[in-house]
Amino acid sequence: ITNHNRRMDEIDWQIVTTLQQDGRIPFRQLATQIGLSPAATTARVHALEHAGVITGYRAVIDPAAVGRPVRGIIRLTGSGATTRSMRDAEQVALTHPAVRRMHQVLGDCDAIVYIEASDLQELDALVTELGSYGQTTTTIVVQSRVMDKPIEAPPDTATKP
């Protein structure tokens, strides 16, 4: 059960900011850093997890280091039966190893697919497959300027504990 209406205070934001930078920090060290006891810190982290603020912890992998150096963005505009074609395209995205994310969007296309492919041939095959569900436009990422920027507290939203 998640509670997306949970109001976060300054300590919650300190916890979230620290965990975004180092998800493996020991609770004792986190407690020292934010000025709470280890028990209170653990309770806060668990409350943030239960509320759906913290949704997981994972290793960050360099795609090029594991054989997926080709990064790209595929924009998909569904054909006539948009709902069905988007559902079918979603199934391709769920099963294709090069697809990292697929977002349904509003605007000049229906979906944006982020990929990390092993080579241009794999990218081309994916674009061809997705093209059977609508029109595609593909962009190759040459260099990423900003990646995984931490989420910060919106102005004037963090309450005092």
Side-chain angles (χ1 to χ4, degrees):
I1 298 175
T2 61
N3 176 8
H4 293 290
N5 295 324
R6 182 181 191 281
R7 185 127 170 108
M8 291 177 50
D9 62 25
E10 290 178 22
I11 292 173
D12 289 336
W13 277 107
Q14 288 176 17
I15 291 169
V16 167
T17 299
T18 301
L19 289 175
Q20 286 181 94
Q21 295 166 354
D22 181 4
R24 295 180 58 174
I25 188 171
F27 281 174
R28 280 196 186 287
Q29 186 178 343
L30 177 60
T32 300
Q33 192 169 322
I34 63 172
L36 290 180
S37 71
T41 300
T42 301
R44 288 260 190 160
V45 170
H46 290 312
L48 290 165
E49 291 169 345
H50 182 72
V53 174
I54 298 172
T55 60
Y57 304 87
R58 61 188 56 87
V60 179
I61 308 298
D62 177 352
V66 294
R68 297 200 163 277
V70 178
R71 293 177 295 146
I73 300 163
I74 302 169
R75 298 163 48 91
L76 177 62
T77 303
S79 57
T82 302
T83 302
R84 181 167 182 226
S85 61
M86 285 299 105
R87 238 189 334 251
D88 292 343
E90 182 180 344
Q91 287 306 307
V92 171
L94 285 169
T95 58
H96 198 287
V99 175
R100 293 296 310 270
R101 290 180 202 88
M102 179 179 181
H103 300 285
Q104 180 179 346
V105 298
L106 298 174
D108 58 357
C109 67
D110 297 309
I112 296 176
V113 182
Y114 293 86
I115 66 94
E116 291 165 351
S118 58
D119 53 34
L120 290 175
Q121 289 76 23
E122 183 181 30
L123 171 61
D124 184 52
L126 176 58
V127 169
T128 300
E129 188 171 3
L130 288 173
S132 66
Y133 303 109
Q135 181 181 350
T136 62
T137 305
T138 304
T139 303
I140 301 292
V141 175
V142 175
Q143 183 179 33
S144 295
R145 301 288 182 161
V146 178
M147 291 281 296
D148 300 321
K149 185 177 170 199
I151 297 172
E152 298 178 14
D156 301 322
T157 58
T159 61
K160 300 281 183 202

